[in-house]
Amino acid sequence: MYDELFWLELLEDTHFILTLIYGVILSAAFVGMERTKANYMKLGYFTVISAILQFLTFEYLGHERALQLYPLLIHVPLIIFLSYMYKVSYYSSTLSVSMAYLCCQLTKWIGMVGVLFIPEQWFYYAVRIAFTLPLLALLVYYVSPSFAMLVRLPWRELVTLGLMPCVYYIYDYITTVYTKLLYSGNPVIAEFLGFFLCIVYIIFLYIFAHEYLANKELEVQNKMIEMKVNSTLHELT
């Protein structure tokens, strides 16, 4: 029994460390960190310090209390670090950290699918550990370049892009960490994300249609200018 508990705790600790690495690297990739040795060194130092702080917090304060303090101990310093080191706005770094947090759902669901085959807690952590780094590599190389390009736009253009990950971050902490409202069966809590997705999609459609019409109008104007230039050149000839 003691050995089983030891291995379960080891898997849980390994999972939390890998999740920290996953979140830090993905956040840095989302803000468009240049892949230089100096940047990797800075990111490595920050990750090691954060890992030590995380371990001490979980060890001395307990799992529940550590999770409640996690935003102040890990996420806020990460936002400040990204803004200072990579010269992006606080809104952009907050959006990147929130998006990385949202992407943790991918490994979480992979672990939950694994438990369907072997319904053991140790297997849940083992599956998440096995998929964390491969999934991180896929997101960094195939998703982060596009996101990094968008995240440096002016903050007014990022509002819609940032609504979903930022609100999900707040929602998840309020309903699962600071309270247990998500598991209470309250229909308002259960349906909130669906309602919010609807609102975000409506806003997105409005902005997309507005931008699409503006681009079409600009395209028509450019064609008219081109026709006038061609006509003038023809007359000169």
Side-chain angles (χ1 to χ4, degrees), residues 7 54 76 111 122 145 150 154 180 208 221:
W7 287 112
Q54 175 180 278
V76 171
W122 68 266
L150 295 174
K180 299 300 178 185
F208 178 79
Q221 290 178 356

Side-chain angles (χ1 to χ4, degrees), residues 5-198:
L5 184 60
F6 169 78
W7 287 112
L8 180 60
E9 290 180 351
L10 180 62
L11 284 171
E12 185 177 10
D13 290 341
T14 304
H15 152 68
F16 277 113
I17 293 297
L18 280 177
T19 301
L20 172 67
I21 295 171
Y22 174 92
V24 171
I25 294 177
L26 198 53
S27 298
F30 281 157
V31 298
M33 181 192 79
E34 294 183 12
R35 296 170 187 174
T36 64
K37 184 178 179 180
N39 282 338
Y40 282 127
M41 290 290 288
K42 294 173 186 175
L43 195 63
Y45 291 142
F46 179 87
T47 305
V48 170
I49 293 171
S50 297
I52 294 171
L53 184 61
Q54 175 180 278
F55 175 79
L56 294 174
T57 307
F58 274 81
E59 186 70 19
Y60 292 103
L61 297 181
H63 182 88
E64 184 175 350
R65 185 60 177 161
L67 286 179
Q68 291 174 350
L69 293 174
Y70 206 84
L72 291 177
L73 295 174
I74 305 297
H75 294 151
V76 171
L78 178 58
I79 289 169
I80 296 172
F81 172 82
L82 293 174
S83 296
Y84 178 75
M85 287 296 176
Y86 307 124
K87 311 302 179 188
V88 296
S89 67
Y90 283 108
Y91 183 79
S92 296
S93 58
T94 300
L95 175 55
S96 298
V97 172
S98 300
M99 189 63 188
Y101 182 82
L102 181 60
C103 288
C104 289
Q105 280 290 319
L106 299 174
T107 62
K108 183 178 181 179
W109 276 90
I110 291 172
M112 291 171 65
V113 170
V115 171
L116 295 177
F117 298 95
I118 301 180
E120 298 286 346
Q121 188 70 12
W122 68 266
F123 192 68
Y124 169 78
Y125 288 124
V127 171
R128 291 194 69 172
I129 289 168
F131 279 90
T132 295
L133 294 182
L135 185 60
L136 173 62
L138 289 174
L139 291 171
V140 167
Y141 285 100
Y142 294 104
V143 178
S144 67
S146 300
F147 192 87
M149 179 181 64
L150 295 174
V151 85
R152 290 179 180 268
L153 293 172
W155 71 269
R156 286 174 179 164
E157 299 180 29
L158 284 174
V159 170
T160 306
L161 182 65
L163 276 176
M164 188 61 213
C166 290
V167 170
Y168 172 78
Y169 178 93
I170 297 169
Y171 172 85
D172 193 54
Y173 265 92
I174 290 176
T175 60
T176 64
V177 177
Y178 298 124
T179 69
K180 299 300 178 185
L181 286 173
L182 187 63
Y183 312 112
S184 65
N186 188 316
V188 175
I189 301 300
E191 297 296 332
F192 173 76
L193 278 183
F195 164 76
F196 183 72
L197 278 173
C198 176

Side-chain angles (χ1 to χ4, degrees), residues 199-224:
I199 297 298
V200 171
Y201 189 67
I202 290 171
I203 295 173
F204 169 77
L205 285 178
Y206 174 79
I207 294 175
F208 178 79
H210 181 75
E211 291 295 326
Y212 178 79
L213 291 175
N215 289 334
K216 278 292 183 182
E217 184 178 349
L218 184 62
E219 185 179 338
V220 170
Q221 290 178 356
N222 288 336
K223 285 184 177 179
M224 291 180 65

